[in-house]
Amino acid sequence: MPSVPYFRFWLAAPILLLVSGMAMAHPGHGAEQGGFMAGLAHPLFGLDHLLAMAAIGLWSLGQSRRLRMAVPLLAVGGMIIGAGLAVAGIGLPGVESAIALSVLLAGVLVATLAKLPSLVGGLLVVGFMLFHGHAHGTEMPHGASLVTYLAGFSLATLAITLGARLAGGWLQARQSRSLRVVGGVIAAIGAFFALS
């Protein structure tokens, strides 16, 4: 794609995933397709999930190289562990409140450009995504294949996290304050979710 700069191509990837999910997102379709489309669509159409993953991707920009490289995989790992707990029938207390709180806190991390030790940051990412994954596991369509459902939401999680990181890098290169503003907006939406 010589006419389109490299970063724009990668920024378009999450949007293309979103559009492909919308084209096939109607009741029952996810189960018919083995769960892949349902798994792919769930993080993209749930604003709380989308914002938490995007904020984690944005926040990872300012972390150590090791943590920055690990964040997308840690996010997917937390999601899979949470979904596994839900499928196994192991409940977590206050899942919806924890999801709202994760959006709020992840937004605050972006707004303050907080730099955390790698171990603390990694555990925080896994902890946030554990609750999101639990919600995904609980809402898996009846009759859907667990493996393809996990593959769908893992791909969406990677796309959102990496897409947000690329977008954040582009914003930061032009005006670092804009990244703080985005974080503040995400935190405000998280606060609204928490109070609703």
Side-chain angles (χ1 to χ4, degrees), residues 85-100:
L85 292 172
V87 170
I90 301 170
L92 293 176
V95 171
E96 290 304 319
S97 297
I99 288 172

Side-chain angles (χ1 to χ4, degrees), residues 11 18 27 38-39 71 79 92 103 119 127 133-134 140 158 161 184 186 192-193 195:
L11 288 177
L18 177 65
V71 159
M79 293 276 287
L92 293 176
V103 176
L119 180 60
H134 196 279
M140 184 173 77
L158 284 172
T161 307
I186 292 172
F192 173 76
F193 289 156
L195 295 171

Side-chain angles (χ1 to χ4, degrees), residues 130-144:
L130 184 78
F131 288 95
H132 288 268
H134 196 279
H136 287 326
T138 302
E139 296 166 11
M140 184 173 77
H142 179 70

Side-chain angles (χ1 to χ4, degrees), residues 19-53:
V19 171
S20 71
M22 288 190 322
M24 304 181 85
H26 57 81
H29 188 78
E32 291 165 14
Q33 294 297 318
F36 181 77
M37 291 309 296
L40 187 67
H42 197 265
L44 295 169
F45 292 114
L47 185 59
D48 49 357
H49 300 300
L50 184 65
L51 289 175
M53 291 171 203

Side-chain angles (χ1 to χ4, degrees), residues 108-135:
V108 168
L109 289 173
V110 175
T112 60
L113 303 177
K115 189 171 174 76
L116 298 176
S118 294
L119 180 60
V120 173
L123 288 173
L124 199 59
V125 169
V126 172
F128 284 170
M129 291 298 102
L130 184 78
F131 288 95
H132 288 268
H134 196 279

